[in-house]
Structures are given as structure tokens and as C-alpha cells.
Amino acid sequence: MQLTVLLVSMALLATQPPAASAAEAEPKTCLDLRKAGGQATLSGVLTVQLFAGPPNYESIAGGDAEERAFILELPRRLCATDGEFISPTTSFDRVQVSASDEAVLGVLRAAVGSTVTVRGEAFGAHTGHHHAPLVLMATQATAASEVR
């Protein structure tokens, strides 16, 4: 009797569809920054966040410098590969945005709290100053007219 119950239980388990795996929750396609010359266009809500900087990048209260960064909060998780610093197995919903052009920086500063679209060179985080898995050096930024 016990053997029959065990066999029936095993048969039922074998016929059940597998539960959704973590991989299924991951993005289906990734940004291939190698093919795109590193260029990406992303949209999301722009925030400014505070992080611990040098010398240890661990704790502002512990003496590390304050670093503020623009963080783009994406509406859904993405993945990307740049062939060097980020692989398609890394899923993320935050992108650090920076710019060297004063006009683009002005748009970013004015757009904090708004939905923005940014375009520029993207690459995987690889220094202590990078505070999201993907970093985008914006050459263009467009803000939605409505502030949240």
C-alpha cells in the first residue's frame, strides 16, 4: 500500500507543470551593448540618491565622503552585456545616469522626480563610484512635462 501511494505521488509530481522559476521572472532579452557600440536609450523615473564614497565606500557615518548620483528607476527589470563589466545573467531595474555636458546635466537636475528618457553610452559598473549595475553617460535627456 505504501509503495503504491509513493508511486502515485511520484507520478502526480512528474505530470505537474514546473513552478515558475526565477529565470522566468528575468528579462527575456538583454541589451547587447557590444553590438550597439555601447549606445542605449532608457526611460524611467529619475531620482537623486546618496551613497558612501571614498575612502571606503561603506559608511558616511563612518567617515566616507557623500556621493550623490542620478538613479534612473526603470519600470521593469532588464539585463545587459557589454562584454566586460556586465553579463546577461545580471538583472537590474536601476541605472546610474551621469553627463559631462552642462545642458544635459541641467535637464537631469530639473527632471528629478519625473519620467525621463536618456540616451548615451552605457556600460557595466566597475568602480566604487558606480552605484547601479549599469551606468549611462547621457548625451541626450528628455523629461516628461509632468512631475510626480
Side-chain angles (χ1 to χ4, degrees):
M1 173 73 173
Q2 288 179 340
L3 180 59
T4 304
V5 170
L6 177 61
L7 290 174
V8 169
S9 297
M10 289 174 63
L12 285 173
L13 286 173
T15 60
Q16 295 295 318
S21 67
E24 290 174 327
E26 297 300 316
K28 301 283 186 233
T29 59
C30 290
L31 299 171
D32 190 343
L33 300 170
R34 299 167 300 177
K35 291 181 182 176
Q39 294 296 303
T41 302
L42 298 169
S43 296
V45 175
L46 189 66
T47 64
V48 172
Q49 296 180 17
L50 182 63
F51 299 94
N56 299 315
Y57 301 89
E58 293 174 353
S59 167
I60 295 168
D64 290 336
E66 292 184 2
E67 285 191 351
R68 292 188 191 324
F70 290 113
I71 301 293
L72 187 67
E73 296 178 355
L74 304 173
R76 69 183 192 295
R77 297 187 77 74
L78 296 177
C79 61
T81 182
D82 64 5
E84 190 171 4
F85 299 115
I86 191 167
S87 76
T89 60
T90 302
S91 170
F92 56 89
D93 60 1
R94 300 171 62 236
V95 176
Q96 182 173 343
V97 177
S98 189
S100 58
D101 181 272
E102 277 301 320
V104 175
L105 280 171
V107 172
L108 294 173
R109 286 183 195 111
V112 172
S114 300
T115 298
V116 298
T117 299
V118 291
R119 176 167 176 72
E121 182 183 357
F123 50 88
H126 59 276
T127 77
H129 298 287
H130 298 156
H131 303 293
L134 192 71
V135 178
L136 188 138
M137 293 300 295
T139 55
Q140 297 175 342
T142 308
S145 59
E146 175 180 277
V147 176
R148 288 184 173 188

